[in-house]
Amino acid sequence: MSRLAGLLRQPRPASEESCRIRLGERDLEYVLRRSPRRSFALQVDHRGVRVAVPWPATQPEIDRFIRSHHDWLLEKLAVRVPPTVMTVEDGVLFPLLGETCRLCVGEGSRPARWRLGADGVEELMLPGGPGARKALVRALRARALPWFGERVAEFCFRLGHAVPAVRLSSARTRWGSCSSRSGIRLHWRLIHLPAALIDYVVAHEVAHLAEMNHSPRFWAVVTVLYPDWKAARARLRDAGRALPIIDGADAALIAED
């Protein structure tokens, strides 16, 4: 009986389906993803339009959400261009915590390591060969986790809340998530962004420790933790489109409610 109860408590798996909506004078096709998430999210990237919603969302609610972003959506579709995957080779520059970092790709199999270049630019030393791209992702994730953990601890201290477990995420439509059971997850690609924008995402997720919703009480907590959150949220949407695409599967995190 306990085994059956455990199976019944397992989260319902996410689903995806192709849908269509009439926007103005055009029919817009999009991929609808339903999952246990709490919020609605809209994304435009090289794959097209993707909408992520909670399982209970009704079609009228989904249509209203899409139409509420009508102008933004059509603007992004008008300028959408196929992304260019970042070249992983010696001398390539990429953003790290909002600053410029340089790749130094060599021969051999030595582990990735960070150093300060002679010109003051931070460098990431990588082994050459076909494994360089994976080594780059591993190095960025290893750099991200302790940084994010320290920021979560700082905002939890401000909130007066115990520090939860902090893990990395590769979600396609969310910068972060918070669960009372599993703790806080933050997208590893945030490591490319300036520290102030990372702090906004951290403050947002830490605020969920007090309010597991997006009610006025939740935003009041966010305001206490990060007073300039509205400006940061707008900047974050633009910053998502400028992130380097390393493995071709990365998605631009653009719009989320």
Side-chain angles (χ1 to χ4, degrees):
M1 188 68 177
S2 59
R3 182 181 179 184
L4 177 59
L7 291 174
L8 292 175
R9 286 196 299 269
Q10 289 184 353
R12 187 179 181 182
S15 72
E16 289 191 354
E17 61 179 310
S18 297
C19 299
R20 179 177 297 181
I21 186 173
R22 186 73 175 178
L23 283 184
E25 298 181 354
R26 65 176 292 179
D27 288 326
L28 175 69
E29 295 185 355
Y30 64 94
V31 173
L32 177 66
R33 177 181 173 84
R34 292 182 180 271
S35 71
R37 63 181 293 128
R38 296 187 301 272
S39 59
F40 287 62
L42 177 64
Q43 174 188 338
V44 180
D45 61 18
H46 59 286
R47 298 167 299 174
V49 179
R50 301 175 68 85
V51 181
V53 302
W55 271 113
T58 65
Q59 193 59 50
E61 290 173 332
I62 296 169
D63 291 346
R64 283 196 298 271
F65 171 71
I66 296 174
R67 290 194 171 99
S68 71
H69 292 80
H70 175 275
D71 293 342
W72 176 89
L73 185 55
L74 295 184
E75 176 186 352
K76 295 301 177 287
L77 288 172
V79 301
R80 180 167 56 100
V81 296
T84 300
V85 177
M86 174 181 167
T87 302
V88 181
E89 61 183 20
D90 194 56
V92 168
L93 302 177
F94 66 94
L96 180 76
L97 294 171
E99 303 292 336
T100 298
C101 188
R102 180 166 50 229
L103 286 181
C104 294
V105 182
E107 299 180 357
S109 57
R110 295 185 62 183
R113 63 192 188 279
W114 304 88
R115 74 177 186 185
L116 189 64
D119 57 357
V121 174
E122 189 169 10
E123 297 177 337
L124 173 57
M125 311 287 289
L126 290 177
R133 192 173 297 275
K134 289 185 178 180
L136 170 58
V137 174
R138 285 196 299 269
L140 291 172
R141 291 176 66 96
R143 183 73 175 263
L145 186 56
W147 177 277
F148 297 168
E150 290 181 2
R151 301 313 298 155
V152 169
E154 168 64 23
F155 281 99
C156 283
F157 174 78
R158 299 182 192 179
L159 185 63
H161 197 286
V163 181
V166 180
R167 298 179 176 86
L168 297 179
S169 163
S170 298
R172 292 184 180 277
T173 58
R174 288 195 287 180
W175 288 116
S177 63
C178 179
S179 167
S180 57
R181 291 187 300 175
S182 60
I184 288 176
R185 293 180 180 271
L186 297 165
H187 204 294
W188 67 268
R189 296 178 75 207
L190 285 167
I191 196 62
H192 293 300
L193 300 178
L197 290 185
I198 299 175
D199 273 0
Y200 161 64
V201 178
V202 172
H204 184 112
E205 300 309 329
V206 167
H208 279 307
L209 296 173
E211 294 288 340
M212 285 291 184
N213 50 58
H214 285 96
S215 67
R217 289 196 306 271
F218 165 79
W219 291 110
V221 176
V222 175
T223 301
V224 171
L225 295 176
Y226 197 103
D228 197 27
W229 66 266
K230 290 183 180 179
R233 191 184 193 197
R235 289 170 56 203
L236 187 61
R237 289 177 175 175
D238 292 334
R241 296 194 301 272
L243 291 184
I245 297 175
I246 296 176
D247 63 8
D250 294 334
L253 302 174
I254 298 175
E256 181 173 349
D257 281 359

